């Protein structure tokens, strides 16, 4: 068995330990004897995104960055739409998450079209929403509790047909208003939890991996791992945030 | 005006005295008080002092210590802002402390470590005789272009130093570029050879030519973007340094011995603080000696007697166990510690103390950008790794995913238990703490084994 992972835009969207998610996905597959191929796809480099089993898009300094937007308009957006629609597993965080929506509205009120792969939009502001975050995934995303760190100036508002990844217990989530965090649509997972979101949330990591495995090798399930250290790190933050 | 100066100096000293009585190392407040009373105070206080300003991203504190040792060896009187208060208030406080109440200096020289952004104002008032730029790197949050900001700040500081000799790192394409824009006398220093046997692959902060954006080519590289760079398109290349480290003769856990070529003359220097990046700080010190007209032999003798600064390769008393503490703030600095560790001969115990207080940064995500993977390749030379601090469990997780064998890993969040664990074994220890972890650990070790206060 082999899973092909693509890190999209590692040259510009790769901040705050985003590598942590790639390392986590790779290790958790390898520990189960599944082979992994990881490919970084920089801005301007062509590849068929539907060839991959998992696509990861990380965070950057601000949205929208012009080279990224140009790259999207040069055919990448259509590929991302096709990939999401055909059930490729996609994990997008922070600016990468914002980029997957329909459009962004800048603080000046201008509208910038994004990939349009998932039905939501982003309103960009100046005030940053920063801090530890705790949310509970919906049933359709495994139902686990997730501890993360968020640092974003954008506010995301979900549209019809898209469910939140989870409900905020502590922190801001998508916009600090409606109690939602992240987005779920087909096998798309979006979150404002930046950097190493997956390592200390092994249940979410495995849930995401399972969607990719199921699509490529139907009926194949991930075996259990010794998650003692993962759970220790998770529980430490959980007890801090539940206070 | 005269009275204001006197009053300003006295007020500043009283504030500092008061803080010390309270047992606090407050370093900015006394300067703030002095500036409030007399905004122009620094110009007056620095007028008759020959000041060496030391700035740059990494290595400021250690380079300052080396320059201090060189001045000591040359028999010159000086003071320094040792506590690392490197913004204008802290610097003013230090000058106020070392002048008579009339404003006349008590010392001939001052060694002033200065924050890159503060250097513009500091140099304007001080009019230094030497400015040393150690290097320019990106800090964690400004990997996207802010390196250029730092460069501009440093450049502006130098432009406010018309009579200074400027010492620049020839191997750093960013800082070396400053020479093209200034009239000052420049002394370049550098390292002619690779410095690590094994090295962590790093992301370069300056892969492309600062003048024409073409990709640099390298004859050799030492770490980060430092090395023998040249631009194939516009011809910008590493300048020939007057102080050049030609060979690394020996590297141990306590010192490094190098062969240096200074103005064409070869000398052997033992640098009494370990770590590849400290070779650069030593060469920088030699360049400052040349700028001040101090003999190279006196400077070389000084290098053998340098004690490392607070939290920079600082030696700690820990019963009979040899321990060094190296503060980490960003992935680049952290990777250098790992380079040091993986190039050590003999066995060592590695300890990481990860806190997430405000002074450390609340977000610990950056540990996933550090190449801890190298620990997994050290085999028997690594006797073990202890993850400690508030976020010990997060750290342990990072190490597990870095491929460190789990039997080598221990998690001890509590510092008292950590100190006992370190003292209760016989291998040399390398401790890598974040800022508040360092303060806390230092205090606890001081309580148990005795240690100087950090402002001394
Ligand atoms: Zn060039």
């Amino acid at each position: 068995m082999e899973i092909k992972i693509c890190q999209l835009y590692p040259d510009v969207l790769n901040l705050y330990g985003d590598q942590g998610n790639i390392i986590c996905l790779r290790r958790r597959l390898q520990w189960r004897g599944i082979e992994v191929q990881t490919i970084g796809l920089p801005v301007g480099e062509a590849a068929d995104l539907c060839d991959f089993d998992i696509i990861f898009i990380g965070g950057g300094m601000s949205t929208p960055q012009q080279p990224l937007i140009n790259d999207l308009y040069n055919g990448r957006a259509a590929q991302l739409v096709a990939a999401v629609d055909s059930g490729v597993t996609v994990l997008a965080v922070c600016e990468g998450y914002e980029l997957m929506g329909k459009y962004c509205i800048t603080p000046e009120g201008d509208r910038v079209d994004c990939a349009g792969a998932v039905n939501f939009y982003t309103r960009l502001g100046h005030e940053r929403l920063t801090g530890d975050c705790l949310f509970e995934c919906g049933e359709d995303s495994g139902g686990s509790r997730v501890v993360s760190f968020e640092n974003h100036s954008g506010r995301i508002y979900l549209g019809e047909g898209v469910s939140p990844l989870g409900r905020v217990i502590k922190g801001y989530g998508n916009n600090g208003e409606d109690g939602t965090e992240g987005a779920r649509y087909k096998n798309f997972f979006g979150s404002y939890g930046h950097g190493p979101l997956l390592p200390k949330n092994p249940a979410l990591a495995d849930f995401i991996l399972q969607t990719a495995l199921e699509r490529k090798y139907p009926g194949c399930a991930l075996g259990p791992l010794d998650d003692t250290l993962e759970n220790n790190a998770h529980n430490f933050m959980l007890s801090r945030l539940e206070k | 005006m005269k009275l204001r100066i006197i009053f300003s100096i006295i007020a500043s000293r009283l504030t500092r005295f008061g803080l010390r009585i309270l047992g606090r190392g407050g370093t900015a407040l006394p300067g703030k008080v002095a500036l409030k009373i007399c905004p122009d105070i620094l110009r007056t206080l620095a007028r008759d002092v020959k000041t060496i300003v030391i700035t740059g991203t990494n290595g400021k504190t250690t380079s300052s210590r080396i320059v201090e040792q060189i001045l000591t060896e040359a028999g010159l009187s000086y003071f320094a802002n040792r506590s690392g208060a490197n913004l204008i208030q802290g610097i003013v406080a230090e000058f106020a402390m070392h002048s008579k109440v009339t404003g006349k200096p008590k010392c001939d020289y001052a060694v002033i470590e200065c924050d890159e952004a503060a250097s513009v104002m500091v140099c304007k008032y001080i009019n230094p005789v030497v400015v040393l730029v150690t290097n320019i790197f990106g800090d964690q949050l400004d990997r996207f272009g802010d390196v250029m900001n730092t460069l501009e700040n440093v450049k502006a500081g130098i432009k406010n130093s018309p009579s200074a000799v400027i010492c620049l790192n020839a191997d750093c394409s960013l800082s070396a570029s400053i020479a093209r824009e200034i009239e000052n006398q420049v002394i370049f220093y550098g390292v002619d050879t690779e410095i690590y046997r094994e090295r962590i692959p790093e992301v370069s902060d300056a892969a492309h030519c600062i003048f024409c954006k073409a990709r640099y080519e390298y004859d050799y590289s030492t770490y980060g973007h430092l090395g023998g760079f040249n631009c194939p398109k516009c011809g910008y290349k590493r300048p020939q340094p007057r102080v050049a480290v030609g060979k690394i003769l020996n590297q141990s856990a306590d010192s490094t011995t190098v062969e240096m070529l200074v103005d064409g003359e070869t000398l052997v220097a033992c640098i009494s603080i370990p770590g590849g990046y400290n070779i650069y700080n030593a060469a920088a010190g030699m360049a400052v000696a040349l700028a001040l007209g101090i003999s190279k032999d006196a400077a070389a003798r000084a290098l053998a007697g340098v004690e490392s600064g607070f939290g920079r390769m600082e030696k700690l008393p820990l019963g009979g166990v040899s321990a060094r503490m190296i503060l980490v703030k960003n992935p680049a600095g952290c990777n250098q510690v790992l380079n040091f560790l993986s190039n050590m001969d003999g066995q060592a115990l590695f300890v990481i103390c990860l806190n997430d207080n405000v002074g450390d940064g609340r977000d610990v995500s950056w540990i996933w950008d550090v190449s801890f993977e190298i620990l997994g390749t050290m085999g028997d030379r690594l006797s073990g790794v202890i993850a400690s601090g508030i976020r010990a469990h997060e750290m342990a997780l990072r190490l597990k995913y870095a491929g460190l064998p789990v039997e080598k890993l221990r998690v001890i969040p509590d510092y008292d238990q950590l100190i006992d664990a370190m003292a209760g074994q016989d291998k040399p220890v390398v401790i890598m703490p974040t800022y508040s972890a360092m303060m806390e650990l230092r205090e606890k070790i001081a309580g148990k084994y005795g240690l100087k206060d950090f402002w001394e």
Side-chain angles (χ1 to χ4, degrees):
Chain A
M1 286 195 285
E2 190 195 57
I3 292 290
K4 278 168 84 175
I5 302 176
C6 166
Q7 183 176 8
L8 190 59
Y9 305 142
D11 47 340
V12 274
L13 294 180
N14 189 6
L15 203 62
Y16 306 122
D18 276 335
Q19 282 313 310
N21 293 320
I22 298 286
I23 295 170
C24 177
L25 293 170
R26 204 173 51 219
R27 290 275 189 210
R28 295 184 75 81
L29 288 166
Q30 287 168 342
W31 286 333
R32 285 149 164 146
I34 300 169
E35 282 182 47
V36 185
Q37 208 190 111
T38 314
I39 286 165
L41 211 54
V43 172
E45 198 163 300
D48 188 353
L49 293 179
C50 287
D51 281 352
F52 295 101
D53 305 304
I54 301 175
I55 298 169
F56 171 73
I57 317 171
M61 284 304 262
S62 61
T63 318
Q65 298 182 45
Q66 204 52 52
L68 287 190
I69 296 298
N70 292 345
D71 191 74
L72 285 180
Y73 296 171
N74 282 334
R76 189 88 72 189
Q79 279 198 354
L80 283 166
V81 171
V84 169
D85 278 342
S86 68
V88 174
T89 297
V90 177
L91 171 64
V93 303
C94 294
E95 285 72 18
Y97 171 29
E98 292 171 352
L99 218 56
M100 291 295 285
K102 294 242 173 222
Y103 57 88
C104 290
I105 299 174
T106 68
E108 295 74 36
D110 297 327
R111 177 184 152 136
V112 180
D113 284 329
C114 296
V118 185
N119 185 18
F120 63 80
Y121 73 96
T122 309
R123 193 174 282 283
L124 298 167
H126 290 295
E127 197 199 336
R128 295 194 82 82
L129 306 178
T130 305
D132 291 316
C133 179
L134 169 64
F135 62 92
E136 188 166 74
C137 288
E139 282 306 316
D140 57 345
S141 302
S144 65
R145 288 196 159 194
V146 175
V147 290
S148 66
F149 195 94
E150 56 183 333
N151 181 357
H152 52 103
S153 62
R155 273 89 168 145
I156 283 177
Y157 298 88
L158 303 179
E160 216 174 308
V162 179
S163 53
L165 180 61
R167 291 275 155 197
V168 176
I169 299 171
K170 214 44 167 283
Y172 300 101
N174 281 334
N175 47 51
E177 295 162 23
D178 62 15
T180 65
E181 155 57 20
R184 259 318 295 282
Y185 172 70
K186 298 197 170 180
N187 286 336
F188 172 85
F189 298 78
S191 174
Y192 266 135
H194 77 200
L197 173 69
L198 299 182
K200 61 175 173 293
N201 295 297
L204 177 62
D206 282 354
F207 190 88
I208 292 172
L209 285 175
Q210 184 65 51
T211 61
L213 206 64
E214 181 62 38
R215 179 168 173 269
K216 192 164 190 180
Y217 306 103
C220 189
L222 290 168
L225 294 174
D226 176 359
D227 279 336
T228 312
L229 294 185
E230 286 82 349
N231 292 332
N232 286 347
H234 178 89
N235 291 335
F236 175 81
M237 289 310 292
L238 199 62
S239 62
R240 181 193 274 187
L241 286 164
E242 279 179 339
K243 261 180 205 159
Chain B
M1 188 63 204
K2 189 89 183 175
L3 258 178
R4 263 167 87 114
I5 291 167
I6 294 172
F7 187 47
S8 165
I9 293 169
I10 293 175
S12 166
R13 286 211 218 157
L14 279 176
T15 311
R16 163 121 74 169
F17 182 66
L19 287 171
R20 292 289 145 86
I21 285 180
L22 295 172
R24 284 167 50 191
T27 44
L29 189 61
K32 233 179 225 169
V33 170
L35 282 169
K36 190 112 198 159
I37 299 169
C38 181
D40 207 26
I41 184 80
L42 191 52
R43 195 190 302 277
T44 311
L45 293 176
R47 190 180 295 146
D48 297 318
V49 185
K50 297 187 194 78
T51 303
I52 298 119
V53 167
I54 296 171
T55 191
T57 309
N58 289 325
K60 289 188 285 285
T61 305
T62 303
S63 294
S64 301
R65 285 294 163 95
I66 289 173
V67 171
E68 279 190 59
Q69 193 64 32
I70 290 171
L71 294 177
T72 304
E73 191 67 37
L76 302 168
S77 71
Y78 71 89
F79 66 89
N81 58 338
R82 285 195 141 197
S83 48
N86 59 13
L87 301 175
I88 193 151
Q89 296 96 336
I91 293 168
V92 168
E94 213 57 57
F95 272 91
M97 194 64 197
H98 292 92
S99 59
K100 300 176 184 150
V101 286
T102 56
K104 287 280 168 230
K106 291 180 188 169
C107 304
D108 296 328
Y109 289 84
V111 181
I112 296 301
E113 171 189 337
C114 181
D115 172 80
E116 299 89 280
S119 72
V120 187
M121 290 307 283
V122 169
C123 288
K124 184 178 155 200
Y125 288 123
I126 284 183
N127 192 19
V129 293
V130 177
V131 177
L132 163 64
V133 182
T134 56
N135 50 51
I136 291 173
F137 277 94
D139 262 345
Q140 197 223 346
L141 290 181
D142 44 23
R143 262 188 290 171
F144 289 83
D146 275 15
V147 179
M148 298 312 287
N149 258 346
T150 310
L151 178 62
E152 287 310 316
N153 283 329
V154 168
K155 213 184 282 173
I158 289 176
K159 287 186 173 166
N160 280 342
S161 316
S163 43
V165 178
I166 313 300
C167 299
L168 296 176
N169 187 335
D171 302 1
C172 171
S173 56
L174 293 166
S175 20
S177 74
I178 296 171
R180 284 204 184 179
E181 289 185 42
I182 55 174
E183 303 285 310
N184 306 53
Q185 186 198 336
V186 173
I187 299 178
F188 284 108
Y189 64 91
V191 178
D192 286 346
T193 168
E194 287 174 11
I195 55 180
Y196 294 113
R197 275 171 293 174
E198 296 163 48
R199 194 154 70 94
I200 285 170
E202 293 170 277
V203 182
S204 173
D205 287 325
H208 298 96
C209 177
I210 186 168
F211 297 110
C212 76
K213 307 284 170 239
R215 202 176 178 85
Y216 287 124
E217 289 170 357
Y218 280 84
D219 297 333
Y220 65 94
S221 82
T222 52
Y223 75 88
H225 63 275
L226 307 187
F229 66 89
N230 74 79
C231 170
K233 197 170 152 203
C234 77
Y236 173 51
K237 62 172 194 204
R238 174 189 189 247
Q240 192 58 45
R242 266 180 75 185
V243 177
V245 173
K247 274 186 203 151
I248 316 291
L249 301 173
N250 181 46
Q251 283 193 82
S252 79
D254 287 308
S255 67
T256 308
T257 309
V258 300
E259 197 176 272
M260 259 190 212
L261 204 66
V262 184
D263 283 339
E265 202 178 300
T266 305
L267 58 88
V268 172
C270 171
I271 307 161
S272 62
I273 35 175
Y277 51 92
N278 282 325
I279 298 173
Y280 275 100
N281 295 327
M286 183 61 79
V288 172
L290 291 185
L292 294 172
I294 295 170
S295 83
K296 1 183 199 306
D297 295 328
R301 278 199 305 277
L303 294 179
V306 177
E307 276 182 52
S308 49
F310 168 57
R312 275 84 176 179
M313 288 279 177
E314 184 183 18
K315 265 190 179 167
L316 295 176
L318 207 66
V321 175
S322 141
R324 284 194 181 265
M325 185 152 74
I326 312 161
L327 169 71
V328 289
K329 294 179 281 195
N330 49 37
C334 207
N335 281 334
Q336 293 323 303
V337 178
L338 294 173
N339 273 335
F340 166 65
L341 187 77
S342 63
N343 280 269
M344 265 171 76
D345 293 322
Q347 269 202 324
L349 171 70
F350 183 46
V351 177
I352 314 171
C353 304
L354 181 66
N355 275 7
D356 63 354
N357 292 317
V358 174
D360 310 290
R362 299 304 313 258
D363 183 8
V364 297
S365 302
W366 62 273
I367 61 171
W368 292 88
D369 286 328
V370 177
S371 307
F372 287 107
E373 281 72 11
I374 199 164
L375 295 174
T377 68
M378 284 179 65
D380 286 344
R381 288 186 299 129
L382 191 68
S383 79
V385 180
I386 301 178
S388 185
I390 298 171
R391 299 297 294 272
H393 293 298
E394 180 92 15
M395 194 60 237
L397 192 58
R398 173 70 189 98
L399 293 167
K400 174 183 174 182
Y401 280 83
L404 184 79
V406 280
E407 63 274 11
K408 289 220 166 161
L409 177 63
R410 273 191 293 167
V411 187
I412 309 178
D414 179 76
Y415 290 132
D416 286 309
Q417 288 173 23
L418 170 68
I419 291 167
D420 291 343
M422 292 190 294
Q425 53 88 56
D426 57 357
K427 305 287 183 296
V429 183
V430 175
I431 311 166
M432 200 174 78
T434 56
Y435 187 77
S436 78
M438 174 180 79
M439 301 302 273
E440 209 177 316
L441 198 58
R442 228 176 163 277
E443 196 174 310
K444 288 203 186 283
I445 292 177
K448 280 196 166 151
Y449 297 99
L451 196 61
K452 277 192 273 184
D453 282 329
F454 76 85
W455 57 82
E456 277 166 15

